Amino acid sequence: MRRVLLKSKIHRARVTDADVNYEGSLTLDRNLLQAADILPFEQVHVWNVTRGTRLITYAIAGERGSGVVCVNGAAAHLIRPGDIVIVASFAEFEETEARGHRPHIVFVDEQNRVSQPPVAELPGPKRWGAQGEAITTAPG
C-alpha cells in the first residue's frame, strides 16, 4: 500500500504580491523552495491563514533572497498581499518508507527568510510558548 504524507511545509509566509493577470501558479523565493525541498512546477497546496481559503497550484522559482511569495492567476482573487499562508507539498511513500518519514518544516521571519533550520512538526498548542514564540524542539 502507498500512503500520501506531508513532504514539506513553509509555515506562515507573508504574501508579497498577487497578479491576477498571470497564467497561474505560486512564485516562491528560491531559498524557500530549497529549504522546503520543493521543485519548480511541483504541486503545492496553499492554505490562507488570514482568510481561511485553500487552493492547489504549482510552484515557480522566484529571485533568490527576494522573499517573494506571489500568488498568480485566478488564485489572486483568494489571496492578497499581506496575507499569511502555509505552503505544503505531499508525496507518496511505500508503507515501509512512510513509517520513518519526517517532513521538512520551514519557518520564516517577517521578510520570508528562513528563520531557523527545518524542524520536526509539533502538535497544536505545544508549538507555541507562553509569549507566542515558536518552540523549535520537542519538549522533554
Side-chain angles (χ1 to χ4, degrees), residues 21-94:
N21 294 312
Y22 190 83
E23 295 85 6
S25 71
L26 178 71
T27 305
L28 292 167
D29 180 322
R30 288 178 188 271
N31 288 340
L32 295 177
L33 291 176
Q34 183 177 358
D37 190 29
I38 296 172
L39 297 175
F41 308 109
E42 184 172 344
Q43 182 184 89
V44 292
H45 295 239
V46 184
W47 305 323
N48 189 327
V49 175
T50 305
R51 301 175 190 277
T53 57
R54 292 174 170 238
L55 60 97
I56 300 171
T57 187
Y58 61 94
I60 59 175
E63 182 181 343
R64 185 176 298 282
S66 65
V68 67
V69 175
C70 180
V71 180
N72 300 306
H77 291 288
L78 300 174
I79 300 174
R80 305 273 187 213
D83 286 359
I84 301 298
V85 296
I86 297 169
V87 179
S89 67
F90 294 83
E92 288 189 13
F93 297 88
E94 292 295 336

